[in-house]
Amino acid sequence: MPEALVHPRRQTLAMVTLAALACAPAYSRAPAAIPMTEPHPLIIAHRGASGHRPEHTLAAYTLAIEMGADYIEPDLVITRDGVLVARHENEIGATTDVADRFPARRTTKVIDGAEVTGWFVEDFTLAELRTLRARERLSFRSQDYNGQYQVPTLAEVVALADSLGRARGRVVGLYPETKHPSYFREIGLPLEEPLLAELRAANLDRADAPVLIQSFEVGNLRRLAGMTTVRLIQLLTGGAPTMVTPAGLRGIAEYAYGIGPDKGMVFGADGGGTQLVQDAQAVGLHVHVWTLRAEPRFVPARFSGNVREELRALLALGVDGIFADHPDVAVEVMRSAR
Ligand code: G3P
Ligand code: CA
């Protein structure tokens, strides 16, 4: 993002950071938690290095950090006893061995208006969930790691980012996504309060923390904006056209630090770019695009299966960050772009 377009909140952040350093309390996490200068564009490990290990496992997050990702992304859902855990959705039949271990727990629910049949995190205590092992979701990715890893808690992911960041002498950021926040609030298991409590416990409930909270829902982001100064990201898909108009983007800028659009929203049909990146940055929003995946089937046809060319095209459009299943590829390409 050009200097002239730096978000006012970001400038404030640098000042807050200096002040925080000057009078830092004797808290062990404080020095490593402060993003003095954040890398740009950001490399966000999507569900960990999920192109290489089963998604949302400590192994996937660890590999992502070893590969050089700036942020790791836990999607969050919650157990029956109120513990935040990392899963892409609350139905866990596709990403764990739950069907083998708890066959009788299979049920059907309506989640955000859609009927879903399977096994749901909110029907399990953490102790029960701990008996499960993760599986690779996609059949064309390696199945070699199935059965090895547990479902991690958010607390474990926070601790991992802290300890591996310290060991490497750099900040590893957290990019949690609240999944189905309205649904969970309706069933009496809201996500926002425990998320902020976890961040607070790690001294990360701050505007200058290396944390970005994301959601597809507007209501819970507005709610979060009233509860925390942690930076917020409004996720977008092509199904919300009014949100990407200049007026819509100005509305998002009232509560969010940035947007997280599907990459199809920044690539134009003609092979060039849409106006979205410039329009968003013009109102001070950062743009973090999802999702870069190295397998040719995920790469738009005009790049002939070459994910590096796809990433170079996204960088040429001026994006401020990329969610990547293969952070190693992003690190390799961005080494020359930063
Ligand atoms: O959070 C960015 C991107 O991950 C949104 O899509 O479905 O992979 O969580 P999803
Ligand atoms: Ca996500």
Side-chain angles (χ1 to χ4, degrees):
M1 172 179 270
E3 196 56 36
L5 297 178
V6 167
H7 195 288
R9 199 168 170 187
R10 200 182 214 193
Q11 293 172 323
T12 309
L13 206 130
M15 292 185 282
V16 169
T17 296
L18 290 173
L21 274 181
C23 55
Y27 181 74
S28 65
R29 184 168 171 111
I34 297 170
M36 284 297 291
T37 52
E38 196 147 72
H40 185 272
L42 284 182
I43 299 170
I44 307 145
H46 185 242
R47 315 183 195 176
S50 57
H52 300 280
R53 296 289 184 278
E55 67 186 42
H56 293 310
T57 58
L58 293 182
Y61 298 129
T62 298
L63 183 58
I65 294 167
E66 288 171 349
M67 287 175 165
D70 304 309
Y71 275 69
I72 54 174
E73 189 223 15
D75 292 325
L76 297 177
V77 291
I78 194 164
T79 64
R80 192 172 83 198
D81 46 348
V83 181
L84 290 170
V85 295
R87 287 290 91 190
H88 180 257
E89 56 268 303
N90 53 338
E91 200 288 304
I92 52 174
T95 61
T96 70
D97 56 1
V98 68
D100 300 334
R101 293 176 184 258
F102 292 91
R105 297 274 183 99
R106 188 171 187 265
T107 187
T108 298
K109 303 188 183 200
V110 176
I111 314 292
D112 295 341
E115 196 169 278
V116 182
T117 297
W119 291 260
F120 297 85
V121 164
E122 64 271 23
D123 294 339
F124 292 81
T125 63
L126 180 64
E128 289 172 333
L129 208 63
R130 291 300 211 182
T131 67
L132 306 182
R133 294 295 179 270
R135 284 184 178 163
E136 172 53 52
R137 177 197 298 272
L138 301 174
S139 62
F140 51 84
R141 288 184 173 167
S142 174
Q143 306 294 313
D144 292 349
Y145 302 95
N146 290 353
Q148 297 190 24
Y149 311 121
Q150 290 180 308
V151 173
T153 64
L154 173 62
E156 289 175 323
V157 180
V158 171
L160 183 81
D162 183 44
S163 64
L164 294 188
R166 283 174 184 280
R168 284 158 181 75
R170 69 180 182 92
V171 172
V172 175
L174 296 162
Y175 211 126
E177 179 183 350
T178 53
K179 285 290 186 188
H180 311 296
S182 290
Y183 165 79
F184 278 114
R185 186 164 288 277
E186 280 165 20
I187 64 168
L189 288 168
L191 304 176
E192 294 85 355
E193 288 82 357
L195 169 57
L196 295 183
E198 294 271 16
L199 294 178
R200 209 167 297 127
N203 192 24
L204 291 171
D205 183 7
R206 299 178 283 112
D208 60 346
V211 178
L212 291 153
I213 300 177
Q214 45 168 337
S215 181
F216 280 106
E217 293 192 16
V218 175
N220 91 307
L221 285 179
R222 286 192 177 278
R223 180 192 299 274
L224 280 163
M227 299 167 71
T228 181
T229 56
V230 169
R231 295 171 293 167
L232 306 177
I233 298 290
Q234 178 68 63
L235 297 175
L236 298 170
T237 65
T242 59
M243 295 182 78
V244 296
T245 61
L249 292 166
R250 279 196 299 277
I252 294 172
E254 290 171 5
Y255 60 87
Y257 171 84
I259 57 170
D262 181 343
K263 63 187 181 184
M265 300 173 75
V266 303
F267 281 136
D270 61 355
T274 65
Q275 277 295 112
L276 180 56
V277 176
Q278 293 96 315
D279 286 353
Q281 291 174 346
V283 297
L285 291 166
H286 290 234
V287 181
H288 297 165
V289 178
W290 48 276
T291 300
L292 194 81
R293 294 177 160 123
E295 292 96 346
R297 71 182 68 203
F298 294 119
V299 179
R302 63 181 169 282
F303 300 113
S304 305
N306 188 333
V307 70
R308 290 166 180 78
E309 285 305 309
E310 181 190 12
L311 177 51
R312 286 188 196 102
L314 287 167
L315 295 174
L317 293 174
V319 303
D320 300 297
I322 307 271
F323 287 85
D325 282 13
H326 299 83
D328 48 337
V329 172
V331 168
E332 174 200 318
V333 172
M334 286 202 203
R335 197 169 285 141
S336 55
R338 282 177 170 171

